[in-house]
């Protein structure tokens, strides 16, 4: 299996090189040269596999010869041994037509652990195998940073530096990142916003000499390993329903920011999983919902919401979908992205929009509506949704058809967003692991919001 760029200008490369490249060198995103097809027979064979066994089967299709199967198995087993639930991502029945896929049983209580535990181990493997130095730098609005740090803390051959906007992440998110005391972790709290952090990171990577001299590696959601790891739980969730007698397609409702998680669902469907509708849920940053409903992709004004991990205007994985929407026409994708750069928007014609709507339905959830759904589900079903998950559930309630069965992806534990939960006068008990964070010392360096401030800290750290 080889990987190629959505813009067509990168010669085909193997899995490990694709991981190391991150963003494709031609500015596009890496995709597998073909999508492996899973037959009905194989689906049936996979139905009783454990999460780890299933992950191994799916990864094998994509990793191919790049990692021997026994070593890949070890990577998978190590990555999911850190989860608190034996099923890794269990499914909870809320009603006959609504099930919640709990993706938050990893070390940082957010779904990003599913991919970043694996990517951390993968980086560590590559560092050993290829004797290469791995220096990860990334920006976070909260969940990615904690999860990435947890994925590589204490690992030999790897150092990680995460930038977060000082005082602008939730209390629990800040503690999860800054109470880590391993020597290979550096937290920089930037005086500024998440956009400032992201801009600094982009410019560091654009400085090719600096990037090579200091072996910078990316951890953001455009990394193809993250997408693959997330594909597994779509299969796993479907099989949980099937084991309880469900037949036929199931919808998946996905709270969306960078289009990474929902793209993994798209991939699962393209591989042959009987996915009904992919329900795309956004908060008030509704660019993607607008695209699915009107065919116009146009970032607008940034809004702060109760679901900050979805407060995103430019969805970095969207280009991957465009590539498949246009039948793998890389020249067309390159032209569309040029148009996007010049005019700040992409518009698709009616026949293309029709194809989008055959796969996706979408709904944008307002701030009040999000809190109402949290309150309603708590009162009615005694189940506490975090604000991101609540967006997915709200969207499912709006757009799923009668008689359809929907799996709503739960992307975070409510304890991470207590500030919002409390607005509905709901008191929750923190899980033991989160409560323990409040007694730990914090390690972070506050820096100004310029490239030079960050660069000098990095040079000293590496
Ligand atoms: C990152 C994140 C999302 C959005 O996922 P994408 O892959 O960016 O679409 C949703 N919910 C939570 C809790 C997250 O951390």
């Amino acid at each position: 299996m080889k990987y190629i760029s959505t813009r067509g200008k990168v010669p085909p490369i193997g899995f490990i090189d694709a991981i190391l490249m991150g963003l494709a060198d031609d500015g596009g995103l890496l995709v597998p040269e073909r999508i492996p097809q899973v037959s009905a027979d194989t689906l049936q064979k996979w139905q009783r596999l454990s999460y780890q066994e299933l992950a191994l089967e799916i990864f094998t299709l994509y990793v191919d010869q790049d990692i021997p199967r026994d070593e890949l198995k070890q990577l998978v087993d190590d990555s999911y041994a850190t989860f608190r639930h034996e099923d890794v991502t269990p499914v909870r029945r809320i009603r006959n037509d609504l099930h919640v896929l709990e993706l938050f049983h990893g070390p940082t209580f957010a779904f990003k652990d599913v991919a970043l535990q694996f990517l951390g181990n993968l980086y560590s493997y590559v560092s050993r195998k290829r004797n290469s130095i791995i220096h990860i730098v990334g920006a976070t609005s909260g969940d990615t940073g904690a999860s990435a740090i947890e994925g590589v803390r204490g690992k030999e051959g790897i150092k990680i530096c995460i930038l977060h906007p000082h005082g602008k992440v939730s209390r629990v998110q800040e503690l999860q990142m800054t109470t880590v005391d391993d020597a290979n972790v550096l937290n920089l709290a930037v005086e500024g916003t998440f956009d400032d952090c992201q801009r600094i990171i982009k410019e560091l990577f654009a400085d090719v000499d600096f990037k090579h001299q200091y072996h910078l590696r990316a951890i953001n959601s455009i990394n193809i390993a993250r997408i693959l790891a997330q594909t597994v739980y779509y299969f796993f969730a479907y099989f949980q329903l099937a084991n309880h007698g469900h037949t036929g397609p199931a919808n998946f409702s996905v709270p969306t920011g960078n289009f990474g998680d929902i793209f993994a669902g798209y991939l699962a469907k393209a591989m042959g999983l009987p996915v009904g509708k992919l329900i795309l849920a956004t908060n008030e940053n509704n660019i993607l919902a607008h695209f699915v409903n009107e065919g116009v992709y146009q970032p607008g004004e940034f809004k702060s919401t109760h679901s900050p991990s979805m407060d995103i205007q430019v969805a970095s994985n969207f280009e991957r979908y465009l590539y498949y929407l246009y039948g793998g026409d890389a020249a067309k994708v390159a032209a569309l992205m040029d148009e996007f750069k010049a005019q700040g928007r992409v518009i698709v014609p009616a026949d293309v929009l029709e194809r989008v709507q055959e796969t996706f339905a979408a709904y944008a959830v307002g701030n009040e509506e999000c809190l109402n759904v949290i309150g309603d589900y708590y009162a009615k079903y005694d189940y506490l949704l975090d604000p991101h998950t609540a967006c997915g559930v709200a969207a499912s309630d709006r757009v799923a058809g009668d008689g359809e069965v929907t799996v709503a992806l739960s992307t975070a534990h409510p304890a991470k967003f207590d500030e919002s939960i409390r607005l509905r006068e709901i008191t929750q008990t923190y899980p033991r692991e989160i409560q323990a964070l409040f007694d730990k010392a914090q390690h972070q360096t506050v820096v100004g919001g310029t490239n030079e401030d960050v660069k000098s800290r990095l040079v000293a750290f590496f």
Side-chain angles (χ1 to χ4, degrees):
M1 173 69 86
K2 297 286 183 204
Y3 290 80
I4 53 177
S5 166
T6 49
R7 298 195 195 170
K9 298 246 162 61
V10 175
I13 52 177
F15 178 73
I16 289 181
D17 288 322
I19 301 310
L20 291 177
M21 190 176 282
L23 188 71
D25 283 348
D26 62 359
L29 300 182
L30 295 165
V31 288
E33 62 182 352
R34 62 184 166 77
I35 296 176
Q37 296 301 298
V38 182
S39 68
D41 241 22
T42 305
L43 285 175
Q44 202 162 27
K45 281 193 199 117
W46 285 0
Q47 193 171 316
R48 301 275 171 186
L49 297 184
S50 70
Y51 190 94
Q52 289 85 341
E53 289 166 339
L54 180 62
L56 179 61
E57 293 307 322
I58 292 175
F59 292 163
T60 299
L61 300 174
Y62 287 94
V63 171
D64 209 10
Q65 310 295 319
D66 254 26
I67 303 174
R69 190 169 161 102
D70 58 326
E71 294 179 1
L72 186 58
K73 178 175 187 311
Q74 193 63 51
L75 284 174
V76 168
D77 289 347
D78 290 348
S79 300
Y80 300 109
T82 55
F83 279 62
R84 294 176 302 276
H85 198 287
E86 59 171 352
D87 283 344
V88 182
T89 63
V91 177
R92 286 266 304 238
R93 181 187 160 281
I94 304 292
R95 299 185 303 260
N96 280 342
D97 64 348
L98 181 69
H99 302 256
V100 171
L101 171 58
E102 294 183 343
L103 301 172
F104 54 72
H105 295 283
T108 72
F109 293 80
F111 90 101
K112 294 197 167 67
D113 290 332
V114 178
L116 286 169
Q117 284 288 303
F118 179 63
L119 187 56
N121 285 317
L122 198 58
Y123 269 142
S124 167
Y125 173 85
V126 172
S127 145
R128 280 196 311 275
K129 282 276 159 173
R130 294 204 177 171
N131 215 0
S132 54
I133 299 169
I134 309 269
H135 287 158
I136 296 165
V137 289
T140 187
S141 59
D143 287 335
T144 304
S147 189
I149 288 171
E150 208 53 54
V152 301
R153 62 184 295 183
K155 292 207 160 97
E156 221 172 292
I158 303 184
K159 288 183 182 173
I160 184 167
C161 170
I162 295 291
L163 275 53
H164 72 266
H166 186 42
K168 293 193 180 70
V169 299
S170 87
R171 181 75 183 136
V172 169
Q173 287 175 326
E174 179 182 318
L175 290 171
Q176 283 181 327
M177 289 189 275
T178 60
T179 56
V180 173
D181 59 2
D182 295 84
N184 70 334
V185 175
L186 175 66
N187 277 294
L188 295 181
V190 174
E191 301 277 22
T193 63
F194 171 62
D195 289 320
D196 294 320
C197 298
Q198 191 139 327
R199 174 186 46 78
I200 295 170
I201 295 294
K202 268 195 188 146
E203 288 174 14
L204 287 179
F205 274 96
D207 182 346
V208 176
D209 291 338
F210 187 80
K211 174 180 164 184
H212 285 146
Q213 185 182 355
Y214 290 99
H215 312 279
L216 303 192
R217 307 288 178 196
I219 197 92
N220 46 12
S221 72
I222 50 122
N223 201 303
I224 189 72
R226 288 185 58 174
I227 305 285
L228 291 183
Q230 292 169 19
T231 302
V232 176
Y233 49 68
Y234 285 88
F235 284 86
F236 189 73
Y238 183 84
F239 295 147
Q240 300 316 294
L241 298 191
N243 288 336
H244 284 93
H246 175 80
T247 53
N251 298 333
F252 285 87
S253 185
V254 190
T256 308
N258 263 325
F259 206 83
D261 203 5
I262 197 162
F263 182 77
Y266 177 80
L267 196 59
K269 184 176 164 80
M271 288 169 72
L273 188 71
V275 174
K277 276 191 210 101
L278 283 166
I279 299 172
L280 185 152
T282 69
N283 58 29
E284 294 185 0
N285 297 284
N286 60 359
I287 298 88
L288 289 168
H290 200 65
F291 171 75
V292 170
N293 290 323
E294 345 279 340
V296 178
Y297 175 76
Q298 181 169 29
E301 196 192 323
F302 179 91
K303 304 232 173 78
S304 282
T305 72
H306 297 302
S307 45
S309 300
M310 297 156 66
D311 288 349
I312 288 171
Q313 292 283 319
V314 179
S316 54
N317 270 290
F318 184 62
E319 183 171 340
R320 280 201 172 101
Y321 173 58
L322 278 182
Y323 177 80
Y324 290 104
L325 182 60
Y326 281 94
D329 183 347
K332 178 73 190 176
V333 173
L336 284 173
M337 294 319 288
D338 283 346
E339 180 190 323
F340 179 65
K341 206 167 175 190
Q343 291 168 22
R345 54 155 210 241
V346 169
I347 301 178
V348 301
D351 59 319
V352 176
L353 180 59
E354 221 170 88
R355 287 209 304 278
V356 173
Q357 293 175 349
E358 280 165 16
T359 312
F360 294 94
Y363 182 70
V365 182
N367 262 336
E368 270 307 294
E369 189 178 5
C370 172
L371 295 182
N372 290 344
V373 167
I374 293 173
D376 287 353
Y377 272 73
Y378 190 61
K380 225 177 187 171
Y381 303 106
D382 196 24
Y383 189 81
L384 187 56
L385 303 164
D386 100 284
H388 303 76
T389 308
C391 290
V393 167
S396 163
D397 283 347
R398 288 290 179 140
V399 305
D402 281 345
E404 295 175 0
V405 170
T406 301
V407 177
L409 273 56
S410 177
T411 50
H413 190 288
K416 291 196 89 165
F417 301 98
D418 193 48
E419 291 91 335
S420 299
I421 303 287
R422 256 185 281 152
L423 295 175
R424 278 296 174 271
E425 264 119 55
I426 297 169
T427 317
Q428 56 178 324
T429 321
Y430 283 148
R432 177 171 46 83
E433 296 85 347
I434 287 185
Q435 190 58 49
L437 294 172
F438 290 89
D439 302 324
K440 290 188 183 161
Q442 287 185 254
H443 309 270
Q444 62 180 329
T445 310
V446 180
V447 295
T450 72
N451 296 10
E452 289 316 312
D453 290 332
V454 171
K455 254 185 170 169
S456 60
R457 297 289 176 175
L458 281 180
V459 169
F461 176 54
F462 295 149

